[in-house]
Amino acid sequence: MPTSLIPAPRGVVAGAGETRLTEASGLYAGAGTEGVGRWLGGVLRAATGLPWREAREPAQAGDGVRLSLAADLGPEAYRLVSGPAGVLVEGGDAAGVLHGAQTLRQLLGADAFRRAPVRRGRVWTVPHMTVEDAPRFRWRGLMLDVARHFMPKEGVLRYLDLMSAHKLNVLHLHLTDDQGWRVEIKRYPRLTEAGSWRARTKIGHRASPLWDDRPHGGFYTQDDLREIVAYAAERHICVVPEIDVPGHSQAAIAAYPELGNSDVVDTAALTVWDTWGINPNVLAPTEDTLRFYEGVLEELLDLFPADAGPFSPFVHIGGDECVKDQWRKSRTAREQIAKLGLADEDALQSWFIGHFDRWLADRGRRLIGWDEILQGGLAPGAAVSSWRGYAGGITAARAGHDVVMCPEQQVYLDHRQDAGPDEPVPIGYVRTLEDVYRFEPVPAELTPEERQRVLGTQANVWTEVVEDQGRVDYQTFPRLAALAEVAWSELPAPADRDFAGFERRMTEHYRRLDALGVAYRPPGGPRPWQRRPGVLGRPVDGPPPAL
């Protein structure tokens, strides 16, 4: 049924009848759509068992599927027409054709998301209709924290498929933190030899008495990351890597102690952090540290080329939660402040971030960071991930910077989904499926010109207490489906949104998620094996503040 489409399209005109797909149905991919044709042919052959012969001319597709570009459509927009002549999917570009192909997949039913046919003799049909669609936001993202708990490469590839199925187009990959370094840097091998694993892991919130005494770790080789980027590009998804500086850096300091404030603490005694929270061990603000991270970024830029999509020039440098206590005690830091003529340690962090802002710009790249990087000012091309609320994004937009809205009070998916006692390791505010569906990324106080600075939105999945793929699925779904609709569809004001209608469409969408093997949170609450009884969390009572 067209009413079950997620995210909701801009317009649907229903027709009479249906197109039946048979052994004779072909697949034609016009100029510029060949990659989409290969992808669609692969998933349809697997799910339906039909041959889906490749047609060399549109007419040879018969009553099958034809893919083509259309000059009257904008970027990522598509038009799907199903009628007596078969199914035509047109897009303003190849990305639009892919989005239309994902809509076709939904129209075929949940079994079209399986990897092999499950019913012999199944008749595959598409209802006659016309779907006209285009995205509201350019940046429709998901951040995966693979630093706290490592997600193997196959898991990342799987999430790229899930993102594509929901018309999301940016994967923000959080590759480094205090608890692990996840990217191979060949000139600095100890980053992965020592920095990619920890001896044990805190179970639950940092106040929990429980520990997992198994070593935890892993990293992506450079070829792994090239594969991830290429796999994403085939699905018209940009991968934005994050290397966190100058805070959240204990894993790097454990590998190379000279990166830390060795005149204040014994950095040689530091190991990869095994617990959670805001870490006091930050990078030393020295020229040597800058040169080290320039070396890291030089290799990173080769792995994440700037021509892989509209947002591929971006590199995320973190910049959040940098505790200044060690800098205040460090003679080296004080001398650097005096040498540079800076006011204080906050200005020192601005100097640190500003260096990489210019360094990336000189190489045709764009810096993006958490909203703390606004302190001290940014170069014109830098962008901001507004996570502490809306305020950072408002400030950035008014200063002429592009913004990705991802306030923790609204779209941090590690936050609990219900106030009930069965919710596993309850963290933060209650953010239900409806709460996410009513999230509005654009603050009302922005002017029309300032609103153009909001590139879009993303959901963030932090993994301190999310230890494996099943837990990532549980925290992410079904709420990511709601975020996808917020990011894609032209919805009314939050209070006026038809959440009951969205829930009805989710009834069919749960069947799609089942077919894809997603361990989502059921509407009625966690299944017994999804609970974590006895593991301490950090729930926050009451509604989240409007910041």
Side-chain angles (χ1 to χ4, degrees), residues 342-473:
L342 302 175
D344 53 21
E345 288 77 16
D346 288 338
L348 189 60
Q349 178 173 345
S350 297
W351 164 82
F352 197 107
I353 299 299
H355 173 85
F356 289 107
D357 194 348
R358 295 183 296 273
W359 189 92
L360 288 167
D362 288 345
R363 288 154 181 81
R365 298 304 187 101
R366 294 185 65 185
L367 180 146
I368 184 169
W370 304 112
D371 53 57
E372 287 96 327
I373 69 171
L374 285 164
Q375 300 165 5
L378 289 173
V384 170
S385 301
S386 187
W387 76 274
R388 290 181 294 177
Y390 288 100
I394 293 170
T395 299
R398 288 176 173 168
H401 294 289
D402 288 338
V403 179
V404 176
M405 282 294 187
C406 50
E408 66 167 325
Q409 301 86 355
Q410 309 296 330
V411 290
Y412 269 32
L413 299 189
D414 53 313
H415 284 204
R416 57 194 172 131
Q417 303 181 64
D418 189 86
D422 290 336
E423 213 59 33
V425 199
I427 297 295
Y429 298 101
V430 172
R431 293 287 85 192
T432 65
L433 181 65
E434 181 172 1
D435 290 330
V436 175
Y437 190 68
R438 297 193 190 279
F439 164 60
E440 172 50 51
V442 181
E445 53 263 55
L446 292 180
T447 67
E449 182 180 357
E450 291 164 351
R451 293 182 181 192
Q452 297 303 309
R453 288 293 183 180
V454 180
L455 295 174
T457 184
Q458 68 180 35
N460 294 343
V461 183
W462 299 103
T463 61
E464 288 94 335
V465 300
V466 180
E467 71 276 11
D468 56 30
Q469 178 175 288
R471 286 282 289 120
V472 173
D473 281 4

Side-chain angles (χ1 to χ4, degrees), residues 41-220:
V43 297
L44 290 184
R45 289 184 189 100
T48 67
L50 299 176
W52 289 100
R53 55 185 176 77
E54 295 182 10
R56 296 183 179 276
E57 299 293 338
Q60 293 177 358
D63 59 356
V65 176
R66 302 183 305 282
L67 310 177
S68 67
L69 301 180
D72 64 321
L73 296 175
E76 295 195 89
Y78 71 89
R79 179 168 49 238
L80 183 153
V81 180
S82 171
V87 180
L88 171 65
V89 179
E90 299 176 296
D93 52 17
V97 176
L98 176 67
H99 299 321
Q102 290 285 15
T103 294
L104 169 62
R105 201 177 176 199
Q106 290 195 21
L107 292 171
L108 285 167
D111 285 348
F113 290 83
R114 296 190 179 275
R115 297 184 182 181
V118 294
R119 291 175 180 82
R120 290 185 179 181
R122 162 76 183 265
V123 176
W124 294 90
T125 61
V126 182
H128 288 174
M129 68 177 66
T130 298
V131 181
E132 298 267 2
D133 207 2
R136 178 187 178 191
F137 290 110
R138 291 178 289 158
W139 184 300
R140 306 178 305 280
L142 172 68
M143 190 225 68
L144 286 178
D145 170 19
V146 297
R148 272 52 175 271
H149 278 98
F150 179 63
M151 178 180 285
K153 180 194 70 176
E154 288 301 319
V156 177
L157 299 179
R158 173 178 177 266
Y159 258 84
L160 288 167
D161 282 330
L162 293 173
M163 290 175 64
S164 178
H166 291 83
K167 299 182 172 65
L168 299 173
N169 67 342
V170 179
L171 173 62
H172 171 177
L173 208 53
H174 183 78
L175 289 166
T176 71
D177 216 294
D178 301 301
Q179 295 86 1
W181 184 282
R182 307 296 179 209
V183 50
E184 176 190 28
I185 303 297
K186 292 186 176 180
R187 74 185 70 184
Y188 304 127
R190 284 190 55 78
L191 286 171
T192 47
E193 291 172 358
S196 69
W197 67 276
R198 56 183 180 263
R200 63 175 188 169
T201 300
K202 173 69 70 174
I203 298 177
H205 182 249
R206 58 181 174 271
S208 167
L210 304 176
W211 293 90
D212 183 344
D213 289 322
R214 297 173 298 174
H216 177 85
F219 66 92
Y220 307 109

Side-chain angles (χ1 to χ4, degrees), residues 9-32:
R10 293 197 176 194
V12 176
V13 177
E18 61 186 18
T19 296
R20 177 174 293 196
L21 304 174
T22 68
E23 296 273 343
S25 299
L27 174 60
Y28 170 75

